[in-house]
Structures are given as C-alpha cells and as structure tokens.
Amino acid sequence: MTTNSRDSRTAVDKALALLGAFGKDAGSGVGVSELARRTDLSKSTAFRVLGMLERNGAVERAGSNYRLGPLLTELTAPVTLPEVEQIRDVLTPFLAHLYERTRQTVHLAMLEGSDVVYLNKLHGLHRVPSPSRIGGRIPAYCTAVGKVLLSHAPDLVEEVLAEELPAWTEHTVTDADELRAELAWIREAGIAFDRGEVRLGLNCVAAPVLGPTGVPVAAMSVSGPTQHFDPRTQANALREVCAKASQAYAARLRARRRQHRA
C-alpha cells in the first residue's frame, strides 16, 4: 500500500472508493485488509468508514468480510420482470401455507446467475440473525435454496466450481469435489440442507418448485435456529407444499396459454 502520510480525500471520497472497490466480489464479500489495499487506505481508516457505511445500510457483514448492503440493493434493483412477478404471486400463498405448517421462517427464492434472489420471506417464532432479505442476493453454493436450484443446472455448477468459494462460516463447503458430490445427492433426493453454512446458528432445508418441464422455477425453504430446529423434521411438509406449488404453477401456465390462443 502506498498511502500518503496525509490523505487529502474527504470522507465521502473514501466511502465511495470503498463501495467501488467491491467489484465482482460485491455479493460474496471482501475483507477489510483487501478493501484497504484496493483503495490505498490504512486498515484503520477503511474499518472506520466501513462502520459508517454499515450503520447506514450501504454495506453489511458477511462472516468476517463485508459486502454491499440493502440500501444499494434497493437503489440498484431492476424493474421486476412479469415472469418473476408471476412466480411470486402464484407461489406466495403456498409459502404462507408452509409457514402455517411449520411456524418457522420460510423463504421463496429463485436463481439469478450464480446467486439466489429472495422473492419473499415470512418470519417464524424463533428468529435468528440471517443474511436473507426480500430482494437480497446470496451466492447459491452456501444456501439450501441455492444448492437445490444449482443441482438442476449442471453447466452453471461447473462455472461456480471453477471460481473461488469463500467460506461464510467454518461449515461452508468450499471444496469443489465435495460440493459437486453433494449437489448430485441433492438432485436425486430432491431436497437440500444448510447446517450453519451461511450463518452460524442457522439451519435450513429447501426443496424445488418445478415447472412443467421438470426444471425448477424457484425453491422454498424452512429455516430456524440450531438450538430449536432440526431441518429434517420439516422435510416431508416442505416436499408436499412444493409439489402442490409446482402443480399450481403449471396450471397457471396452461391457463395463460389458453388465453393467448383464444
């Protein structure tokens, strides 16, 4: 680092420099030392400015790293596509039914690139801090919803495995061969688990919602704190709700095709 003894940049300059330094790592996260190096700031200055950005929602913690936060996600979110709105509208009642059956936090998510995007979330009785939020993105490889969707996208899996897989927690699967084997098992089982891989203390189970061709259009999950929640106990309820949601989505598509032909 070649930081001058007297940095003439304003606090706004430094904040913008840090936000711009995330680059392609905006979703997975970057450590404070690396951000300081990229912006030519001292580590203490970078840490202080990141703290200010975190308090205002511009960045958030991702394990020991930082990533862009909900404020920027909201400001840069693209206009929702009609098909995404349709998926959310058709499947949200089933998400509510899943909540009624489990009384745990439930998610509806879809795959966008190598990330999952959360379309809806209903909080359970036992809350635990979670990086998931409506409209937010998380790398697919370290979440249950992401893994169950990746398991049906073999070409994308190889792209993901060719990149570095940062560890969000000590339980995150970062070995390419181990993750490839797990995804193969998930595809056969039709269900995926996350045991503290994206946040310590958080367990999750997910299943796909299938389109008419058998390719997932979204996934639903049930999550809860490790001290209260064993994800295996909700696997059957989740499968049943996702199967009914798949049927409803296929029926909606058939109805739309009939309307177009009329």
Side-chain angles (χ1 to χ4, degrees):
M1 186 172 69
T2 60
T3 306
N4 296 325
S5 58
R6 185 175 181 82
D7 193 332
S8 62
R9 288 177 289 180
T10 67
V12 173
D13 292 331
K14 294 170 184 176
L16 291 175
L18 284 165
L19 292 174
F22 283 91
K24 63 182 180 63
D25 302 311
S28 57
V30 187
V32 63
S33 296
E34 175 61 16
L35 287 169
R37 185 193 68 78
R38 293 181 186 183
T39 54
D40 200 23
L41 293 169
S42 68
K43 185 176 178 180
S44 60
T45 298
F47 184 78
R48 175 175 54 80
V49 177
L50 285 167
M52 178 270 293
L53 291 171
E54 183 181 9
R55 288 192 296 275
N56 287 277
V59 301
E60 63 184 5
R61 293 293 185 100
S64 60
N65 293 341
Y66 290 86
R67 62 175 182 165
L68 296 184
L71 174 64
L72 296 183
T73 300
E74 293 167 6
L75 292 174
T76 60
V79 176
T80 304
L81 297 175
E83 56 266 33
V84 177
E85 288 186 342
Q86 177 177 250
I87 290 171
R88 185 175 57 204
D89 292 347
V90 173
L91 301 185
T92 290
F94 294 92
L95 188 72
H97 180 52
L98 183 63
Y99 169 78
E100 289 294 329
R101 289 191 61 173
T102 65
R103 292 294 174 174
Q104 301 290 342
T105 297
V106 294
H107 300 88
L108 171 65
M110 63 184 299
L111 202 60
E112 186 172 295
S114 59
D115 295 337
V116 287
V117 178
Y118 290 91
L119 304 182
N120 214 335
K121 177 179 182 178
L122 300 175
H123 291 281
L125 299 176
H126 299 290
R127 283 201 181 193
V128 63
S130 169
S132 63
R133 61 180 184 273
I134 297 174
R137 310 167 66 96
I138 297 179
Y141 69 88
C142 56
T143 67
V145 284
K147 288 190 287 186
V148 82
L149 293 170
L150 278 179
S151 71
H152 289 265
D155 292 341
L156 180 58
V157 167
E158 293 308 314
E159 289 182 25
V160 171
L161 296 182
E163 301 290 334
E164 182 183 0
L165 303 174
W168 283 57
T169 75
E170 61 194 55
H171 303 301
T172 307
V173 179
T174 58
D175 179 80
D177 290 336
E178 183 180 350
L179 184 56
R180 186 182 288 109
E182 182 181 3
L183 292 174
W185 179 88
I186 290 169
R187 184 180 176 91
E188 290 297 318
I191 204 149
F193 295 95
D194 159 17
R195 295 182 174 90
E197 294 172 47
V198 72
R199 177 67 64 95
L200 291 175
L202 180 67
N203 280 347
C204 190
V205 57
V209 177
L210 304 178
T213 63
V215 176
V217 296
M220 292 187 190
S221 69
V222 186
S223 65
T226 55
Q227 65 268 35
H228 298 292
F229 178 64
D230 180 351
R232 295 171 299 180
T233 63
Q234 303 298 340
N236 287 337
L238 178 62
R239 283 192 176 102
E240 290 173 11
V241 172
C242 284
K244 292 178 181 177
S246 300
Q247 294 170 1
Y249 183 74
R252 173 66 68 88
L253 289 184
R254 287 194 297 270
R256 286 188 65 188
R257 293 193 187 103
R258 286 195 297 268
Q259 288 176 352
H260 287 311
R261 288 197 296 266

